[in-house]
Amino acid sequence: MGRTVVVLGGGISGLAASYYLSRAPCPPKVVLVEGSQRLGGWIRSIRGPDGAIFELGPRGIRPAGVLGAQTLLLVRGWWTVLTLKVASLAMDSLCRGVFAGNSRELSVRSCFPSLFHAEQSHRSVILGLLLGTGQRPQPDSALIRQARAERWSQWSLRGGLEMLPQALGSHLTSSGVHVLRGQPVSGLSLQAEGHWKVCLGDSSLEADHIISAIPASELSKLLPAEAAPLAHILSTITAVSVAVVNLQYRGAHLPVQGFGHLVPSSEDPVVLGIVYDSVAFPEQDGSSPGLRVTVMLGGSWLYTMEAGGRALSQELFLQQAQEAVATHLGLKEQPSHGLVHLHKNCIPQYTLGHWQKMESTMQFLAVHRLPLTLAGASYDGVAVNDCVESGRQAAVRVLGTT
């Protein structure tokens, strides 16, 4: 009888892991367990009254690899090259824009490995990047070649990025993967035979191997006593919250072009950045002429608000977002449509020492031969690209075990 692999988490990492498992020449039985009623995790697209697409989370995929948004930063409308004079400003903005975090607390080695390896190899980030140091081998296809030739910075889908997890979910079901929704995991236990028992409230599953694509802190609460040291490490991988405000302005036009801009903490502790959705993906504007932008709020301001027990209302976030758009882009009129969502603990923080945590985690799993593989944003990259690759690598490792 073949093996059973249970994948925890129906976000893009878990979907990718399940997909690659199902494509194996002799695939195992795959069960994908998602605690909520929908797949896709933080990827979520909403269609407005006029057909416009509003992304509540990630809105695009980088076709140019990990360096696409890291070499040059559009900070408040002007290109900032990484030099000694502005490195602090650029890194602060980059850490806020990608991780919604504090550059003084995050690990460059873990957050931006290409920048780290470039500096280590050539004592210069710029020189290392120009020579291609630290870049991972890139896959190749007709679509990828077109993206490179046309210099795409991001790509999405006409109906929103959520079409990707929706299509993956349908494909997995038709491929024989058992997809369980609305089934939060309440505990994991190891059986005498080396199998897992996955508790789902009133029912349970048995698994020969588990791929966990849920946040590290959540997994830490589910692990059995035998894995207490691992649970402790995972519990230290924290995450921060981000408020996402989608705004639509009828008949408006931006005075600038580009994908968006990041905002350094020294200029505005509230706003992380603004994405120019209509410039990046005009096909998603809907039937009414207008402008869509997304304002990201978070950082130390939001952390302080949460820690102090302050009321975090939609009205407050909407006000902050409108003020930011008026100040940064000159759009002072009232938006014709707006959406406000607070994503609690949505972006993991790779703080100083993160890579040592990963080494300790891998060592524990290897020494104890625990049939558990980790995937997802908690470990090795928070972008959609990173999560898909994390799921693929998890599947490869599982298929390579006996």
Side-chain angles (χ1 to χ4, degrees):
M1 187 175 179
R3 291 190 303 164
T4 297
V5 179
V6 171
V7 180
L8 305 182
I12 194 63
S13 303
L15 288 168
S18 301
Y19 172 77
Y20 286 106
L21 287 173
S22 69
R23 293 187 63 193
C26 297
K29 177 183 177 181
V30 181
V31 182
L32 174 63
V33 181
E34 165 57 36
S36 70
Q37 292 293 341
R38 59 176 292 275
L39 301 176
W42 298 114
I43 300 177
R44 189 179 177 191
S45 310
I46 290 182
R47 189 176 294 273
D50 63 350
I53 301 299
F54 299 95
E55 299 285 9
L56 308 189
R59 64 210 53 242
I61 297 178
R62 297 189 308 262
V66 294
L67 296 182
Q70 295 176 12
T71 307
L72 295 176
L73 308 175
L74 186 59
V75 182
R76 276 303 312 277
W78 48 278
W79 288 101
T80 304
V81 182
L82 291 178
T83 64
L84 288 176
K85 185 176 181 180
V86 297
S88 177
L89 174 66
M91 188 54 65
D92 173 76
S93 301
L94 185 57
C95 288
R96 283 164 57 81
V98 178
F99 287 87
N102 187 332
S103 61
R104 296 180 179 85
E105 299 175 356
L106 295 179
S107 164
V108 172
R109 175 171 180 169
S110 298
C111 294
F112 309 108
S114 296
L115 300 184
F116 173 80
H117 290 303
E119 196 280 333
Q120 290 291 301
S121 299
H122 298 278
R123 299 299 174 188
S124 166
V125 171
I126 294 297
L127 181 59
L129 293 179
L130 291 175
L131 296 176
T133 302
Q135 297 188 41
R136 300 174 180 174
Q138 297 295 314
D140 188 48
S141 71
L143 181 62
I144 291 175
R145 288 192 293 273
Q146 179 185 355
R148 289 171 179 161
E150 298 177 2
R151 298 184 178 182
W152 297 358
S153 62
Q154 296 261 326
W155 65 266
S156 185
L157 301 169
R158 192 174 297 275
L161 196 58
E162 191 175 357
M163 292 183 69
L164 176 60
Q166 289 174 348
L168 279 172
S170 298
H171 175 80
L172 292 176
T173 300
S174 64
S175 301
V177 173
H178 297 266
V179 180
L180 304 180
R181 308 188 194 202
Q183 298 285 341
V185 178
S186 58
L188 304 172
S189 60
L190 281 168
Q191 307 301 295
E193 313 82 27
H195 302 302
W196 286 103
K197 180 180 179 181
V198 182
C199 298
L200 303 174
D202 295 334
S203 62
S204 64
L205 300 169
E206 285 196 0
D208 298 289
H209 201 105
I210 287 177
I211 293 179
S212 175
I214 61 177
S217 59
E218 291 185 17
L219 177 61
S220 70
K221 301 171 185 176
L222 303 175
L223 290 172
E226 302 96 309
L230 174 62
H232 173 71
I233 297 173
L234 297 179
S235 69
T236 65
I237 303 176
T238 58
V240 295
S241 303
V242 173
V244 177
V245 183
N246 307 94
L247 300 174
Q248 184 180 36
Y249 294 85
R250 262 198 200 124
H253 299 280
L254 277 182
V256 294
Q257 292 293 305
F259 186 80
H261 70 261
L262 307 178
V263 182
S265 58
S266 58
E267 181 174 331
D268 191 332
V270 177
V271 181
L272 303 173
I274 302 177
V275 180
Y276 316 151
D277 298 300
S278 289
V279 177
F281 305 119
E283 302 86 356
Q284 299 176 348
D285 274 346
S287 59
S288 301
L291 172 69
R292 292 173 300 115
V293 297
T294 301
V295 183
M296 311 291 186
L297 308 171
S300 58
W301 169 78
L302 185 52
Y303 176 80
T304 302
M305 294 279 285
E306 290 180 313
R310 298 278 299 278
L312 300 175
S313 66
Q314 290 197 352
E315 292 75 18
L316 172 64
F317 294 134
L318 184 61
Q319 176 189 350
Q320 295 285 352
Q322 289 183 233
E323 290 178 359
V325 170
T327 301
H328 296 189
L329 302 175
L331 298 173
K332 301 183 184 300
E333 62 268 32
Q334 287 293 312
S336 58
H337 189 66
L339 296 170
V340 180
H341 291 84
L342 175 61
H343 300 311
K344 301 282 289 185
N345 303 320
C346 62
I347 303 182
Q349 300 294 282
Y350 304 163
T351 53
L352 296 175
H354 182 80
W355 67 272
Q356 289 103 325
K357 294 179 184 179
M358 293 300 94
E359 285 191 349
S360 298
T361 294
M362 294 302 107
Q363 184 179 16
F364 183 92
L365 293 173
V367 169
H368 295 271
R369 297 184 178 180
L370 207 60
L372 171 67
T373 301
L374 306 179
S378 290
Y379 310 107
D380 189 28
V382 299
V384 175
N385 307 55
D386 301 320
C387 292
V388 170
E389 177 62 10
S390 177
R392 186 190 71 83
Q393 291 185 6
V396 169
R397 289 194 292 271
V398 172
L399 293 171
T401 61
T402 57

